[in-house]
Amino acid sequence: MNNNENIHICAASDCDCGMTRRDFLRMSALATASAAAPLMFAGDARAQAFKGDDQPVKIGYLPITDAAPLLVAHGRKLFEAQGLKTETPRLFRSWAQIVEAFVSGQVNVIHLLSPATLWVRYGSKFPAKVVAWNHVNGSGLTVLNEINSVADLGGRTVAIPFWYSIHNILLQKLLAAHKLTVVTRGRGAELKKNEVSLVVMAPSEMVSALASKSIAGYIVAEPFNALAETAGVGKILRFSGDVWKNHACCVTFLAERDLADKPEWSQRVTNAIVNAQLWSRSNQVETAKMLSASGPNRYTPHQLQPLTKVLAVTDYSDYEKRGIIAHPQWQQRRIDFQPFPFASYTEEMVRALVQTKVEGDAKFLAGLDPKFVARDLVDDRFVRKSIAAAGGPAAFGLPANLLRTETVAV
């Protein structure tokens, strides 16, 4: 099988969030100890240049709603309110780029796909930890207007933003439930009626690819689902949160050296992000304005309309009438914000990812114990204190004991 046929080659200069062949090679290089070691050393050298809280907050992000807590914290000067210095957040165009910048110390606070954190810590062996969730839900499966069920995707091509993503996990669960087999033959390949070909594609290309019918659908973070809706080129088939109740997509990721050497700095960073989530929960329109291209900081290239559709519209009645919502009793928002990283989710994510087809060397997954990962990958010391200071679990709609059972229903 030719790797070039299975890695999306992005020609667009504004490619967002997908994996180009160059990105694939970058991440493959980072996965080896010989390549990772110099980058880790460079990151340590940068970290040592600052002592304690003097280290500025250097945010790395992709232009998706998943980044909202980091950007709101910056825009509302919540880091400064914690006594921290900040630099202008840096927008990246792919997950590979943001990981590379994080490992090399160019940025020190990032949001990252929750399954990708496994790859960074256990695949590339870079010492970093999840300190909080960025949000829950906030993604969807968008398809051509003539497609009315997951079964209709048989013999077609569907795009995902990254192999190590909750999008890939949930899509493959949906396809398996409809007895469809996942293959990776690239766009244009001949497929059997029971096969669905997955391709990694930049979200910035997904809407146009759907409009041209070169793909039958895609599953991705917002606002790219809303963009297809507002443009009339596609429709939501399922929301990700209607498959895995209140799942995490992106999480806040910090280097372990900062957690160990700068615990007060790490606590203040977490405080700011938690406070940003609390504010965003009740200020959805203002959050959309802050993220939009017309906002004062122009954090993303997106217009206000699709961002508002995602962040401010909480009435699912229209989607329920069209049969899109399979579990209306869950009473969820299209995207919501709560920072606590439930151990039960991490455990289930590990189990699910082991059963999910991914490209590249994934041997490290086989040796991961879900309970060990939940303890080792996540450091919830800081977020527990932040939540308590922000009004307690109830302020975020969370159970008082911060425990839950995972609900996955395709």
Side-chain angles (χ1 to χ4, degrees), residues 43-268:
D44 286 337
R46 287 174 180 269
Q48 290 169 6
F50 298 97
K51 302 297 182 182
D53 295 341
D54 289 339
Q55 175 170 274
V57 175
K58 298 182 289 185
I59 293 170
Y61 74 101
L62 271 62
I64 51 180
T65 52
D66 301 19
L70 276 60
L71 300 176
V72 168
H74 179 267
R76 289 185 54 78
K77 298 188 181 302
L78 299 181
F79 293 113
E80 286 82 355
Q82 292 291 322
L84 300 174
K85 301 174 183 177
T86 63
E87 294 183 1
T88 301
R90 292 184 58 185
L91 185 152
F92 292 89
R93 297 298 185 178
S94 77
W95 293 113
Q97 289 174 358
I98 202 170
V99 168
E100 187 176 39
F102 177 66
V103 169
S104 64
Q106 298 173 50
V107 294
N108 53 24
V109 179
I110 65 170
H111 69 109
L112 190 62
L113 297 162
S114 52
T117 63
L118 296 174
W119 182 90
V120 173
R121 185 164 177 84
Y122 305 110
S124 73
K125 301 187 184 304
F126 180 74
K129 295 204 174 197
V130 175
V131 297
W133 284 5
N134 264 37
H135 66 103
V136 295
N137 307 329
S139 295
L141 173 59
T142 295
V143 297
L144 293 169
N145 289 316
E146 61 262 31
I147 290 177
N148 296 308
S149 73
V150 173
D152 293 342
L153 294 173
R156 311 295 287 271
T157 297
V158 178
I160 58 174
F162 205 67
W163 290 112
Y164 289 91
S165 66
I166 196 68
H167 312 95
N168 187 29
I169 291 172
L170 294 182
L171 176 61
Q172 291 195 33
K173 283 182 177 291
L174 286 169
L175 296 176
H178 289 80
K179 303 186 185 310
L180 296 173
T181 301
V182 170
V183 297
T184 53
R185 295 180 189 154
R187 283 177 282 177
E190 186 174 343
L191 300 170
K192 297 178 182 178
K193 290 184 178 180
N194 69 325
E195 293 179 333
V196 176
S197 182
L198 301 190
V199 295
V200 172
M201 181 182 293
S204 60
E205 291 187 344
M206 287 181 175
V207 178
S208 59
L210 192 70
S212 67
K213 298 191 176 182
S214 64
I215 59 173
Y218 57 78
I219 183 167
V220 75
E222 298 289 5
F224 293 98
N225 303 289
L227 287 170
E229 288 183 294
T230 55
V233 300
K235 65 184 181 183
I236 302 289
L237 191 62
R238 288 291 295 274
F239 287 107
S240 61
D242 193 44
V243 179
W244 190 331
K245 184 179 180 181
N246 287 328
H247 68 81
C249 178
C250 274
V251 295
T252 301
F253 210 39
L254 298 184
E256 196 166 359
R257 61 174 175 264
D258 286 332
L259 300 177
D261 299 341
K262 301 178 175 65
E264 184 60 30
W265 181 88
S266 301
Q267 183 65 65
R268 294 182 183 190

Side-chain angles (χ1 to χ4, degrees), residues 69 132-136 246 270-282 333 336-340 342 383-400 402 404:
W133 284 5
N134 264 37
H135 66 103
V136 295
N246 287 328
T270 308
N271 289 346
I273 292 170
V274 168
N275 291 339
Q277 294 196 46
L278 185 62
W279 183 83
S280 297
R281 282 173 59 84
S282 54
R333 289 181 175 179
D336 205 353
F337 300 97
Q338 81 79 11
F340 188 73
F342 288 99
V383 74
R384 285 180 180 272
K385 292 180 180 178
S386 298
I387 290 173
F396 298 92
L398 299 173
L402 293 176
R404 80 177 196 182

